[in-house]
Amino acid sequence: YMAGARSRVNRQIRRHGIATVFLVCALPSPMTTLTTTAAASAGMGYARYLAAAFTGFLVLSSLLALAGQGLFQSMRSLLP
């Protein structure tokens, strides 16, 4: 299964590059580690990978923080 997933990610990185890395990092999935390997084998430069991964993780972290804030505010309004 993992070999097939690696080849699919590698194909997407060759085709779409930075967009694939950004999307995989912005979505909470275990494919992030596989994407690092696939990006290296596809020949993506370190700076491009780092920029895409950082931006993806920044989006994911911001969305999780906003969701958590909303959850805690709604829980606070239920308390007397």
Side-chain angles (χ1 to χ4, degrees):
Y1 172 77
M2 292 304 284
R6 182 180 178 274
S7 68
R8 284 191 302 274
V9 169
N10 198 354
R11 196 174 336 115
Q12 289 299 322
I13 287 176
R14 288 186 191 277
R15 189 176 301 155
H16 301 290
I18 292 177
T20 301
V21 174
F22 171 78
L23 189 62
V24 169
C25 291
L27 298 174
S29 90
M31 296 292 285
T32 306
T33 305
L34 218 89
T35 304
T36 306
T37 308
S41 68
M44 178 180 275
Y46 181 72
R48 293 178 67 201
Y49 174 80
L50 185 64
F54 177 74
T55 308
F57 283 126
L58 187 64
V59 168
L60 174 63
S61 299
S62 299
L63 290 175
L64 289 175
L66 287 173
Q69 180 184 16
L71 178 69
F72 285 125
Q73 282 181 352
S74 66
M75 287 173 51
R76 190 180 334 150
S77 67
L78 296 175
L79 295 174

